[in-house]
Amino acid sequence: MKAVRLEAVGSIALREVDRPIIGPDDLLLRIEACGVCGTDRHLFHGEFPCTPPVTPGHEFSGIVEAMGASVSGFAIGDRVTGDPNIACGRCAHCHAGRVNLCSNLRAIGIHRDGGFAEYLALPWKQAFLLPTDLKPTHGAFCEPLGCCLHGIDLAQIRPGSTVAVLGGGVIGLLTVQLARLAGATTIILSTRQASRRALAEELGATATIDPGTANFIDAVTGPSGLAPGGVDVVLECAGVRETVEQSMRLARAGGTVVIIGVTPQGLKAEFEPFDLLFRELKVLGSFLNPFTHRRAAELIASGAIEIDRLISRQVTLEDAAAVIANPPAPGEVKVLVVPSPR
Ligand code: NAP
Ligand code: ZN
């Protein structure tokens, strides 16, 4: 079969490899779509630890073509999405229900072969059913949506909440939609690119703002700003120093900041501890998708999340290596790799 192989840092290419051999607990998935994520580019540049050679791709869905003897609850021909993050189930964090903090966490597409290939071996406990009439490309969004759901859960958005989302990439645009579904009535998205601001307004943002606006903080929190006094919840979805620092200043007294964006390791940001204390801010990290993949799959199946408008382009396996090795094109939100375009 064809698979995109990360052979070493800076070296990625399409190769002919053997089809995965499934064990008793595995499904053999024919990949329908796999999303390119910033993490794939970080792997290529050696900015995220992994052990090449490996096939990247952790945002995948596909059709069950074969299954091991111990699998139950699935049938040949089922459409499924896979949660790529495999917790050991045995460490202290797993036993505390914090599977995303598992001491032995292994991810499909990082530590073992992933979805930029024609086939993938998926442990059945990581698989979740999708409707057979769902668009084949939509299943690839379950993983990023699951990560956003964890952030939304931590934020405890309630009907009437005021929310700011910083960063209008796919994570920010999914988070805007989830904030709307959670009942927020003011949803402000900050991102630099005008096309993304326009898209966010169509997806449920009640206001958008360019972070380059003069007196940006005041334009949001000032007396005649978009959310006078600040917002109940800030969801940081850009992963840069500027947005992390803005987060603490956009939250109202008693508000909550959820950091979803991944800043480069070692990056430092400034905040005033006095401000945290005096205004009792709650600052939370949101890492991965603990127990949210099923809900993400159900949400996508329900059609409640707009997906098509987030897909900037679809490429074949032949073009995938070049997409991963290069920075995203301006305006691009999500590129999907589709092994057999239909
Ligand atoms: P992305 O496409 O890079 O989106 C981030 C966007 O933030 C950028 O495209 C950029 O859009 C915007 N941005 C940059 N600087 C900004 C600024 N100063 N103010 C406002 N917006 C700014 O990436 P993504 O796929 O959406 O992911 C977003 C972040 O979440 C990444 O750091 C990713 O690693 C992380 N992530 C975390 C998890 C988790 O489990 N916590 C899971 C998946 C991804 P403009 O050019 O329009 O400004
Ligand atoms: Zn564990």
Side-chain angles (χ1 to χ4, degrees), residues 79 130-136 301:
R79 170 169 289 133
L130 291 170
T132 42
D133 60 355
L134 187 77
K135 271 202 193 176

Side-chain angles (χ1 to χ4, degrees), residues 47-49 262-268:
E47 296 159 350
F48 197 94
V262 179
T263 52
Q265 267 188 312
L267 181 135
K268 304 258 195 315

Side-chain angles (χ1 to χ4, degrees), residues 12-231:
I12 191 165
L14 186 66
R15 299 285 183 224
E16 193 63 35
V17 300
D18 292 337
R19 259 194 207 186
I21 296 167
I22 55 167
D25 292 316
D26 292 331
L27 304 173
L28 180 70
L29 222 62
R30 176 173 57 76
I31 299 294
E32 290 192 295
C34 185
V36 177
C37 163
T39 304
D40 300 315
R41 294 190 170 100
H42 290 314
L43 295 175
F44 172 76
H45 291 293
E47 296 159 350
F48 197 94
C50 82
T51 42
V54 72
T55 301
H58 58 274
E59 300 178 359
F60 56 84
S61 63
I63 300 291
V64 175
E65 288 226 339
M67 61 181 79
S70 307
V71 173
S72 70
F74 293 94
I76 307 291
D78 279 346
R79 170 169 289 133
V80 301
T81 159
D83 175 357
N85 301 307
I86 306 175
C88 75
R90 294 291 308 157
C91 73
H93 296 299
C94 282
H95 282 168
R98 308 288 299 272
V99 289
N100 54 332
L101 306 181
C102 170
S103 308
N104 309 301
L105 197 68
R106 288 286 173 272
I108 297 172
I110 292 172
H111 305 101
R112 50 187 277 175
D113 290 343
F116 296 135
E118 289 180 283
Y119 291 90
L120 175 144
L122 177 65
W124 72 280
K125 288 182 181 170
Q126 302 296 124
F128 298 87
L129 275 175
L130 291 170
T132 42
D133 60 355
L134 187 77
K135 271 202 193 176
T137 48
H138 287 198
F141 284 80
C142 295
E143 197 275 344
L145 186 66
C147 293
C148 299
L149 268 174
H150 182 45
I152 290 280
D153 288 350
L154 289 170
Q156 297 192 318
I157 294 171
R158 296 183 301 172
S161 290
T162 57
V163 171
V165 177
L166 309 185
V170 72
I171 295 295
L173 293 170
L174 288 169
T175 297
V176 162
Q177 297 190 58
L178 290 176
R180 176 176 49 81
L181 289 172
T185 41
T186 296
I187 304 169
I188 303 161
L189 177 93
S190 166
T191 203
R192 295 165 306 179
Q193 295 181 53
S195 61
R196 291 170 165 193
R197 293 199 296 273
L199 180 54
E201 288 183 14
E202 289 167 31
L203 298 177
T206 53
T208 55
I209 183 165
D210 181 341
T213 304
N215 303 318
F216 171 72
I217 300 294
D218 200 48
V220 178
T221 66
S224 53
L226 297 167
V231 292

